[in-house]
């Protein structure tokens, strides 16, 4: 800021004491003594217009829209201190904030920060615009106001405990326990069955265990999220002790002078004191209104909440720049006050939870149907014809058994474990997902529209070459030549250095000024950093910056693709470095102004009429020179370099009004420019990007580059990254889309955009033989595309969009979505925010703008390589839940229902006791189901096409066919056979049990038969438990062999917790079947050793059959067996 010294006199409206104000006064320009007199007669020209523009561009509207976030399911991330800082909810819906803003307004009614003068604000807070706060003042402010962190909301412990106990299937377990207790007593009197009491106790125990597990998982998830807290540094730039410093937002205090630029989210409530033209802020988080407002310096409303001179915490600066004084922090901000009023998390379900609910409803409907059927048969037939067969208490136990058997109690635990595991994996992979929905959607993404700078490239730009007139000189040679010509006035390189330093928004961090140049920190975007570093290498930028005073600025934006700064001379020595000899001689330092411009050559070249030659003199820009410069520019672009043009113009006082508007300055920048030089900037791709692109492409995901760079530059970088693999001469352009009805193109479109298989199985072998088609389009080309042409464009394998505006990025997302694609958009800049918000998955890069981070659903904390892990686990979580369901249904549902059904319908004794049913559902199967959540990705997960969310359901008929028709029938038949074979061996033939309804033929006695039936029940139980081990091994993979995906001895596939889960199941068998004190109450017995080995044989048979099925699915992917595979 040393380059910007206060003027001797500054005339402004509404300022009591002008001596303390900096030269950057008001929102448009800064005036000299000579100009003050002219202003006296027209003071209104200095006043900022406060009315908003009549139209708001589509990308601004998109940015302002707030998709409601469901706080009940958003991972509790402390995402910026600027956002709503609570543990169990995230940002409030705009309508909530609007609903409570009246209360907040009442509390804020006595504030007058917006109505008092700037000097009074400074006096109250003991600060100054030029120097900011000192160390003692900062310490005093921290003690007085505390840190800039809103207080945590109430913990709502009671609601949490209620959810722990009755969430999932807790209510069903508790209801079942109550009913069984009633069946024991009083309905069981005078001879209550001890087994019923034991069953009720087990149900209560499982109920308590599930509640404790839910509480532990919540605590564990909170710890995972807490470890993520702070991984996204929330920094802001303030002026302290007279220098610009970057601090963490929680450390900001009232009185700090905040530096604001496009992309900044205000960390506290701020009183604006200096704003550039068209500085706009998005307040929708508080007001719910989509249109951004134009900020201003003077108060526009007596209502603190409505005035435009106050920037509120959470407000997004979407255009412009300026400074402000922090007036409120923490709970004292408008946002903090409203947050305390709106802290009531909403409820709702994510798509995956809806899928699970759909499955549970199906299962519960089946259970309810069969329960009603059992009750009808009992009431209409058994109670009349066989009154002593099933008592009321026995019916209740049977009904509870059916209900508990059908409901997969292990599923909620597996789901919760999956979420925690994925959160841990994502964290370790430096991927931050804001919500559960993001993880789910990642598994369905089929196209990623990626920004280039900072995403695919390193965002570490450096100047490699420059052009003086038509001569190319390397950056290293330029440094040497600049040193040689240092004492030569008006030389060309000194003029390049001066314009590069002046027309530059970058600032060196004073804390690193003693470091080597390549190690010095620059506050600014990557392009400005590269240009400023190049300028500094030829001489200190403080020289020209101290000799010229900025009076007007139009910041760079992706729509104009250039920035403009106007300067007045404050030191005559600066003329020789910035201007040609005759320009410096004729420059009137009292009235003339220097207009500098930096931007895209294809935009600015036509505006130039002169060019600087090698000696630093002005020469006409002839057609030949234009052709030579264009050839150099195209060669640089084809080599993947970004090209920046530097130009200037001397503006006489007569051509510039006292208080110019932006339109006036832009008009001056359209003609009569002098081309000072061109700079070639290299931003190399990240080393890992080509492999990442190849991996995602094998996963059936297309990568489209969307960038603001020149088409040749974008194509070259895309080729380096592997996004374009077609030789350059075969890459299509806009002309290839001119005849969308061409049969060949339509045929190509159909072949390149096939519908995905509903089973999501093995990727795209057929597509590998298809020709790869690539196309490069500019933003200008997109304007005229018809719907049919967009359809053809969307069918290309490899697409590069160059020179795109925010509106066009947004349209690209919408066009792909309209054609059935699930779109992910990556980006890190302000201009990426609208498309990030509109995409199915918006992905921001850490270190990007606040607006991009705000708009995104997911943040890559390291690099784009995190996308591979994100997509992988987006698919794995879906796969593992399918595997959990396939594991739980055969034994815990199908094989437990049939003993009850045969007992009621066919008069057979219930061959599996209700108690042992509950043990399978709630204990032996649950441990293994939870272990399945730890299952590693199969080797072919990233070789399959993405899941179609509209067609590929979590539970479909193919999964139910496999679970019931294959595994369920196999386990059920084998278990029945083992149990009745044991009865036959013990002298109770099957014919003596069939349709007997408890009236056994002589010489069998009821007591004797019951002893054998207790043994048979234990045999049935052991058979199911052991066969489930082999089902567990079989369903670990959907398509691969067990030997390709072993559970042990291979780190990439191992899941050793499966074996402790098996040991746990065997331990449950021994506890409930071998301990005498437990045997008697529950009616279990010891099981002979052969009944353990025979189920092993059955299980091996089941595993072998499934291995054969998978083999044929892999070998014949189009066969009937493959089409019905789950």
């Amino acid at each position: 800021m040393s380059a910007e010294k206060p003027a001797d006199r500054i005339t402004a409206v509404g300022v009591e004491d002008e001596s303390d104000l900096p030269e950057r006064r008001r929102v448009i320009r800064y005036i000299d003594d000579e100009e003050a007199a002219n202003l006296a007669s027209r003071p209104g020209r200095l006043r900022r217009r406060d009315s908003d523009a009549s139209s708001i561009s589509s990308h601004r509207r998109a940015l302002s829209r707030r998709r409601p976030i469901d706080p009940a399911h958003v991972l509790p991330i402390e995402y910026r201190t600027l956002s709503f800082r609570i543990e169990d909810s995230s940002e409030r819906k705009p309508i909530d904030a609007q609903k409570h803003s009246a209360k907040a307004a009442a509390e804020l009614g006595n504030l007058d920060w917006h109505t008092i003068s700037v000097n009074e604000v400074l006096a109250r807070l003991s600060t100054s615009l030029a120097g900011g706060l000192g160390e003692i003042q900062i310490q005093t402010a921290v003690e007085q106001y505390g840190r800039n962190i809103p207080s945590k909301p109430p913990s709502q412990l009671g609601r949490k405990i209620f959810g722990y106990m009755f969430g999932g299937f807790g209510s069903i377990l508790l209801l079942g326990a109550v009913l069984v207790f009633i069946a024991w007593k009083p309905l069981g009197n005078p001879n209550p069955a001890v087994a019923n009491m034991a069953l009720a106790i087990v149900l209560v125990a499982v109920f308590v265990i599930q509640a404790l597990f839910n509480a532990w998982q919540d605590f564990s998830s909170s710890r995972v999220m807490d470890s993520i807290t702070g991984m996204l540094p929330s920094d802001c730039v303030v002026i302290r002790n007279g220098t610009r410093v970057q601090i963490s937002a929680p450390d900001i205090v009232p009185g700090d002078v905040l530096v604001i630029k496009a992309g900044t989210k205000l960390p506290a409530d701020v009183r604006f004191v200096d704003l550039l033209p068209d500085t706009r802020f998005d307040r929708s988080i508080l007001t719910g209104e989509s249109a951004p407002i134009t900020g201003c310096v003077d108060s526009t409303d007596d209502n603190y909440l409505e005035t435009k001179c106050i920037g509120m915490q959470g407000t997004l600066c979407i255009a412009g720049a300026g400074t402000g004084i922090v007036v409120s922090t923490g709970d004292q901000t408008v946002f903090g006050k409203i947050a305390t009023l709106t802290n009531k998390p909403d409820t709702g379900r994510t798509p995956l939870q809806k899928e699970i609910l759909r499955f549970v409803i199906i299962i519960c409907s089946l259970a309810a149907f069969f329960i009603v059927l059992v009750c009808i048969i009992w009431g209409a037939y058994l109670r009349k014809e066989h009154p002593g067969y099933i008592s009321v208490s026995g019916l209740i136990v049977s009904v509870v058994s059916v209900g508990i058997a059908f409901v997969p109690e292990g599923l909620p635990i597996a789901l919760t474990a999956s979420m925690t595991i994925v959160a841990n994996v994502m964290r370790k992979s430096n991927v931050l997902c804001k919500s559960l929905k993001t993880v789910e959607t990642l598994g369905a993404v089929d196209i990623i529209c990626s920004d280039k700078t900072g995403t695919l490239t390193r965002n570490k730009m450096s100047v490699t070459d420059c052009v003086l007139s038509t001569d190319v000189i390397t950056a290293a040679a330029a440094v040497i030549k600049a040193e040689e010509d240092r004492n030569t006035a008006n030389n060309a390189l000194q003029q390049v250095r001066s314009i590069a330093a002046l027309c530059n928004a970058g600032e060196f961090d004073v804390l690193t000024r003693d470091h080597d140049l390549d190690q010095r920190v620059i506050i600014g975007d990557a392009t400005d950093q590269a240009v400023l570093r190049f300028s500094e290498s030829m001489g200190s930028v403080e020289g020209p910056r101290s000799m010229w005073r900025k009076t007007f600025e139009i910041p760079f934006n992706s729509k104009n693709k250039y920035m403009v700064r106007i300067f007045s001379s404050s030191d005559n020595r600066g003329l020789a470095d910035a201007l040609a000899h005759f320009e410096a001689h004729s420059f009137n330092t009292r009235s003339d102004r220097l207009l500098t411009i930096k931007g895209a050559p294809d935009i600015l070249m036509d505006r130039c009429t002169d060019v600087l030659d090698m000696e630093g003199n002005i020469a006409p820009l002839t057609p030949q020179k234009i052709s030579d410069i264009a050839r150099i520019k195209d060669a640089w672009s084809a080599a993947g370099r970004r090209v920046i043009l530097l130009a200037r113009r001397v503006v006489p006082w007569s051509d510039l009004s006292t208080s110019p508007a932006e339109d006036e300055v832009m008009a001056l920048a359209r003609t009569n420019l002098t081309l000072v030089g061109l700079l070639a900037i290299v931003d190399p791709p990240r080393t890992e990007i080509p492999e990442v692109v190849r991996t995602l492409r094998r996963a059936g995901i297309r990568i489209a580059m969307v960038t603001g760079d020149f088409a040749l530059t974008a194509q070259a970088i895309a080729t380096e990254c592997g996004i374009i693999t077609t030789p350059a001469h075969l890459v299509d352009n806009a002309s290839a889309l001119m005849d969308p009805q061409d049969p060949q193109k339509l045929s190509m479109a159909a072949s390149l955009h096939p519908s995905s298989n509903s089973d999501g199985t093995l990727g795209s072998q057929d597509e590998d033989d298809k020709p790869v088609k690539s196309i490069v389009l500019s933003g200008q080309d997109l304007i005229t595309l018809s719907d049919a042409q967009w359809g053809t464009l969307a069918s290309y394998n490899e697409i590069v969009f160059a020179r795109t505006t925010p509106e066009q990025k947004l349209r690209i997302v919408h066009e792909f979505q309209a054609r059935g694609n699930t779109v992910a958009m990556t980006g890190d800049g302000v201009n990426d925010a609208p498309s990030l918000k509109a995409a199915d998955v918006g992905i921001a890069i850490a270190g990007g703008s606040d607006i991009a981070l705000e708009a995104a659903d997911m943040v890559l904390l390291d690099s784009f390589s995190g996308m591979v892990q994100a997509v992988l686990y987006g698919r794995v979580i879906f796969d593992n839940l399918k595997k959990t369901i396939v594991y739980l249904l055969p034994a815990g549902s199908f094989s437990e229902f049939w003993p009850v059904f045969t007992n009621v319908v066919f008069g057979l004794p219930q061959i599996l006791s209700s108690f042992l049913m509950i043990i399978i559902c709630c204990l032996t199967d649950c441990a293994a189901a939870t272990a399945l959540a730890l299952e590693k990705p199969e080797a072919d997960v990233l070789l399959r096409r993405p899941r179609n969310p509209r067609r590929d359901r979590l539970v479909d008929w193919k999964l139910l066919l496999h679970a019931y028709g294959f595994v369920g029938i196999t386990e059920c038949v084998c278990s029945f056979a083992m149990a009745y074979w044991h009865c036959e061996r013990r002298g109770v033939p099957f014919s003596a049990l069939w349709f007997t309804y408890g009236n056994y033929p002589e010489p069998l006695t009821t007591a004797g038969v019951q002893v054998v039936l207790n043994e048979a029940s234990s045999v049935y139980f052991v058979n199911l438990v052991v066969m489930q081990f082999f089902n567990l091994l079989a369903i670990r993979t959907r398509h691969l062999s067990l030997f390709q995906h072993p559970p042990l001895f291979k780190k990439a596939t191992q899941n050793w917790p499966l074996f402790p889960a098996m040991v746990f199941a065997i331990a449950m068998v021994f506890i409930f079947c071998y301990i005498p004190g437990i045997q008697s109450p529950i009616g279990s017995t010891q099981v002979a050793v052969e009944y353990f080995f025979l189920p092993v044989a059955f299980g091996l048979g089941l595993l072998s059959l499934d291995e054969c099925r998978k083999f044929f699915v892999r070998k014949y992917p189009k066969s009937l067996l493959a089409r019905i595979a789950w």
Side-chain angles (χ1 to χ4, degrees), residues 593-651:
R593 296 292 180 264
L594 175 63
L595 184 150
T596 63
I597 189 167
K598 176 176 96 265
D602 50 321
I603 303 294
L604 301 180
M605 181 67 76
D606 292 340
R607 305 182 181 194
C608 298
T609 55
D610 299 304
V611 63
L612 202 66
D613 64 17
M614 288 295 292
E615 287 71 36
N617 298 316
I618 302 296
L621 186 59
T622 63
Q624 181 60 45
K625 288 183 178 179
I626 292 176
S627 177
D628 292 342
I629 292 172
R631 178 174 45 80
I632 296 170
K633 173 182 71 72
D634 290 345
W636 282 352
S637 297
R641 298 177 186 177
R642 173 175 290 184
V643 185
I644 298 296
L645 184 148
L646 301 175
R648 67 159 191 259
R649 176 183 175 180
V650 175
V651 182

Side-chain angles (χ1 to χ4, degrees), residues 1057-1079:
L1058 293 175
F1059 297 95
M1062 295 179 186
V1063 172
F1064 174 79
I1066 290 295
M1068 293 299 101
V1069 170
F1070 279 89
I1071 287 173
F1072 292 105
C1073 292
Y1074 285 82
I1075 297 178
I1078 295 178
Q1079 286 177 337

Side-chain angles (χ1 to χ4, degrees), residues 132-199:
L133 295 174
E135 291 300 326
I136 296 177
Q137 295 165 311
I138 294 170
Q139 293 177 7
T140 302
V142 171
E143 293 174 359
Q144 180 177 353
Y145 302 106
R147 301 192 76 214
N148 182 33
I149 302 175
S151 302
K152 292 185 178 182
S155 63
Q156 297 180 325
L157 183 61
R159 178 178 294 184
K160 284 187 177 182
I161 293 175
F162 184 86
Y164 297 153
M165 293 190 299
F166 299 103
F169 299 109
S171 56
I172 295 177
L173 290 170
L174 186 60
L175 177 62
V178 170
L179 291 175
V180 175
F181 267 121
I182 293 173
W184 172 57
K185 284 184 179 180
L187 294 181
N189 291 331
N191 297 310
V194 179
N196 289 347
M197 180 190 68
L199 176 59

Side-chain angles (χ1 to χ4, degrees), residues 854-976:
E854 175 72 20
D857 303 299
M858 186 175 83
V859 180
L860 300 179
L861 300 174
D862 186 12
S863 73
F864 188 68
S865 60
M867 276 301 301
V868 173
Q869 288 294 307
V871 170
L872 176 65
Y873 279 91
R875 297 183 179 188
V876 165
I877 191 172
F878 199 81
D879 272 8
N880 285 352
L881 285 175
K882 290 179 81 77
K883 293 171 184 177
T884 299
I885 292 171
V886 172
Y887 173 75
L888 291 173
L889 292 184
S893 175
F894 191 83
S895 299
E896 293 183 353
F897 165 71
W898 284 104
V900 176
F901 189 77
T902 57
N903 174 239
V904 174
V905 176
F906 302 117
L908 289 167
Q910 186 174 316
I911 202 66
L912 177 64
S913 71
S914 297
F915 186 91
L916 294 180
M917 286 183 189
I918 303 303
I919 297 303
I920 292 175
C921 290
C922 300
L923 293 178
T924 62
D925 273 1
C926 278
T930 305
L932 278 174
L934 299 167
E935 198 60 55
K936 299 291 180 61
E938 296 180 46
D940 68 336
V941 168
L942 291 180
L943 298 177
R944 308 176 196 161
R945 292 194 185 103
R947 176 174 57 87
N948 187 328
R950 289 169 293 277
R951 187 169 60 245
D952 300 332
R953 311 304 293 262
L954 178 65
V955 176
D956 54 17
W957 66 269
K958 290 181 287 187
L959 183 143
L960 294 177
L961 177 65
H962 182 83
Y964 289 152
F966 174 53
V967 181
I969 287 179
T970 302
E971 290 185 349
C972 187
V973 169
C974 290
S975 299
F976 267 116

Side-chain angles (χ1 to χ4, degrees), residues 111 165 243 264 312 365 631 724 792 873:
L111 293 180
M165 293 190 299
T243 60
T264 299
M312 301 176 190
S365 298
R631 178 174 45 80
I724 288 184
T792 304
Y873 279 91

